[in-house]
Amino acid sequence: MTQLLTLTSQLRLVGLALVAMGLLHAVLPRVLDWPGDLGGSSLLTRQVSYAHLFFIGLTCVLLGALPLAFAGELLSGAPLPTALLCGQTLFWGLRWAMEFAYFSPRLWRGHRLRTAGHIALSVLWTWVTAVFVLATVRAVG
């Protein structure tokens, strides 16, 4: 059990969570009822929305694959892995900030499922960001 608490294991778990999050994007439009919401918009808006969704999902998978497959190497302190950790820390730190600074509480307040989603994503992004911050601090030394 203590093995799960090591930074290397936490990086791998974060990687797994990010890959899962990326794959979840395949069903996200149905969960969020995008066909209904985007039905009245232009073809360009619909296609751009789905294209962005695809690339966000792919980005999650690729950014998750790095710590999943190379956690030890990321913590080596070498310049390239350290730069990758810095980039991941910035990226996921900004995503964490967006959860609180950008998304309006009107989107989830009063809706049990959306409130649960907001809480779950807040916890997820806090954990992901914290692990990358700790990994970056360790790699920088």
Side-chain angles (χ1 to χ4, degrees), residues 63 83-98 128-129 132-133 136:
L63 290 179
L84 290 170
L85 283 174
C86 289
Q88 292 254 32
T89 301
L90 176 64
F91 185 89
W92 296 113
L94 289 172
R95 176 58 186 91
W96 174 84
M98 292 288 282
V128 167
T129 302
F132 278 116
V133 166
T136 301

Side-chain angles (χ1 to χ4, degrees), residues 3-14 67-68 70-73 75 131 138:
Q3 180 64 19
L4 283 177
L5 299 177
T6 68
L7 189 52
T8 303
S9 294
Q10 287 296 303
L11 271 173
R12 286 188 180 114
L13 288 171
V14 160
L68 184 59
F70 301 107
E73 290 86 344
L75 294 171
V131 169
R138 180 168 162 189

Side-chain angles (χ1 to χ4, degrees), residues 16-136:
L16 184 63
L18 292 174
V19 168
M21 178 62 74
L23 296 175
L24 177 68
H25 279 72
V27 297
L28 196 58
R30 285 187 294 264
V31 171
L32 297 178
D33 189 31
W34 275 23
D37 286 345
L38 294 174
S41 62
S42 70
L43 177 61
L44 177 63
T45 299
R46 285 193 307 275
Q47 288 187 336
V48 167
S49 296
Y50 284 106
H52 280 142
L53 178 78
F54 171 79
F55 282 103
I56 290 168
L58 179 62
T59 300
C60 288
V61 169
L62 294 175
L63 290 179
L66 284 171
L68 184 59
F70 301 107
E73 290 86 344
L74 286 171
L75 294 171
S76 71
L80 180 59
T82 301
L84 290 170
L85 283 174
C86 289
Q88 292 254 32
T89 301
L90 176 64
F91 185 89
W92 296 113
L94 289 172
R95 176 58 186 91
W96 174 84
M98 292 288 282
E99 190 66 30
F100 304 101
Y102 179 73
F103 293 108
S104 172
R106 292 181 307 183
L107 296 171
W108 53 269
R109 278 198 186 131
H111 304 284
R112 278 191 172 162
L113 184 59
R114 288 183 180 181
T115 299
H118 170 69
I119 292 169
L121 288 171
S122 298
V123 170
L124 174 70
W125 302 133
T126 300
W127 170 60
V128 167
T129 302
V131 169
F132 278 116
V133 166
L134 291 172
T136 301

